[in-house]
Amino acid sequence: MLLYKKYEESLNNELFYNTPGLIEIKMGNELIQSSGVNQEIVQEVFQTGMQVSEGKSEMRNFSVSYFPIKSGFKVEAILLLFPKENRENEFDENIVYLEKLALAGCNWVGISIENERQKKEYELVKVELTKLFSILTQPFCLVSRDGVIQEINDHLASVVQKRRSILIGEKVSQILTNDSWDIVKQQT
């Protein structure tokens, strides 16, 4: 939940700062426990993955729009768009613009969440591969197509008499000649 709060603050402080609109991002239990949130609309948004707007009601004299925040193809949270206090008329006048901002915000949050997940997965895989490479007794080096050393084990680093930490991120020309690298690229 804290993850979404940082995005909520960012959107309110940057995207919605000078507008009559305000957003809240809620997920799971927060949605169920929130007063003033239409549970039928929440279910509809989670089921359809589509935006739904709720008009003025007995509980409030302003409308609320519910936007799905998706990570991958799954709705993970809902962004609620509503007017700032005492700006309800201005909100209604600018609703089309505000909804476009909210939709852009949802897309940004969804992409950011997915990127953070992928970074975490990448880091876990990288840690496991580093462990694996460290126990190899044969010289080993993992190089990107553009010739940057992504991983190298201590054995190969000692052969070329450089520290492993210095070689990672460097060009493979630090350990191979350009002709040798060209031969390796042709074989892959």
Side-chain angles (χ1 to χ4, degrees):
M1 291 185 211
L2 293 175
L3 174 67
Y4 286 105
K5 286 298 172 198
K6 87 175 181 183
Y7 292 116
E8 178 183 306
E9 288 175 12
S10 182
L11 288 171
N12 278 322
N13 292 333
E14 296 172 24
L15 199 59
F16 287 91
Y17 177 71
N18 285 324
T19 73
L22 189 66
I23 62 111
E24 287 182 5
I25 298 175
K26 297 189 181 286
M27 60 182 288
N29 288 339
E30 262 189 318
L31 283 164
I32 294 168
Q33 296 168 358
S34 291
S35 61
V37 174
N38 186 319
Q39 295 301 315
E40 290 176 16
I41 292 178
V42 167
Q43 289 303 315
E44 183 179 342
V45 172
F46 271 102
Q47 289 172 357
T48 65
M50 303 290 289
Q51 169 199 344
V52 177
S53 294
E54 176 186 29
K56 298 175 183 179
S57 69
E58 298 170 3
M59 295 173 51
R60 58 183 173 270
N61 64 347
F62 55 87
S63 59
V64 177
S65 294
Y66 297 70
F67 294 85
I69 295 178
K70 301 175 188 175
S71 180
F73 294 104
K74 181 183 175 199
V75 176
E76 295 204 358
I78 293 181
L79 181 146
L80 303 167
L81 170 65
F82 52 91
K84 291 178 181 168
E85 195 171 325
N86 299 320
R87 295 185 73 183
E88 292 84 1
N89 290 337
E90 187 181 355
F91 178 85
D92 289 340
E93 292 168 5
N94 293 286
I95 191 64
V96 173
Y97 171 71
L98 294 168
E99 286 180 343
K100 287 180 182 180
L101 285 179
L103 185 58
C106 286
N107 291 334
W108 173 72
V109 171
I111 289 168
S112 297
I113 297 289
E114 189 63 32
N115 284 343
E116 286 183 29
R117 281 193 184 126
Q118 288 177 355
K119 282 181 189 176
K120 286 178 183 174
E121 287 177 27
Y122 170 77
E123 290 303 319
L124 289 173
V125 169
K126 187 175 177 182
V127 166
E128 292 299 316
L129 286 175
T130 301
K131 288 178 187 176
L132 175 66
F133 298 151
S134 70
I135 62 172
L136 293 175
T137 57
Q138 298 295 314
F140 180 84
C141 184
L142 181 64
V143 180
S144 65
R145 285 230 174 254
D146 60 345
V148 176
I149 298 171
Q150 301 296 309
E151 188 58 65
I152 187 168
N153 68 354
D154 289 324
H155 185 72
L156 181 54
S158 67
V159 168
V160 296
Q161 298 178 352
K162 292 192 178 182
R163 287 195 341 244
R164 177 183 163 277
S165 60
I166 291 174
L167 290 170
I168 294 174
E170 293 294 320
K171 287 287 191 177
V172 74
S173 60
Q174 296 286 327
I175 59 173
L176 291 176
T177 65
N178 286 333
D179 291 338
S180 298
W181 174 237
D182 288 338
I183 291 169
V184 169
K185 285 194 307 188
Q186 289 172 1
Q187 294 178 1
T188 58

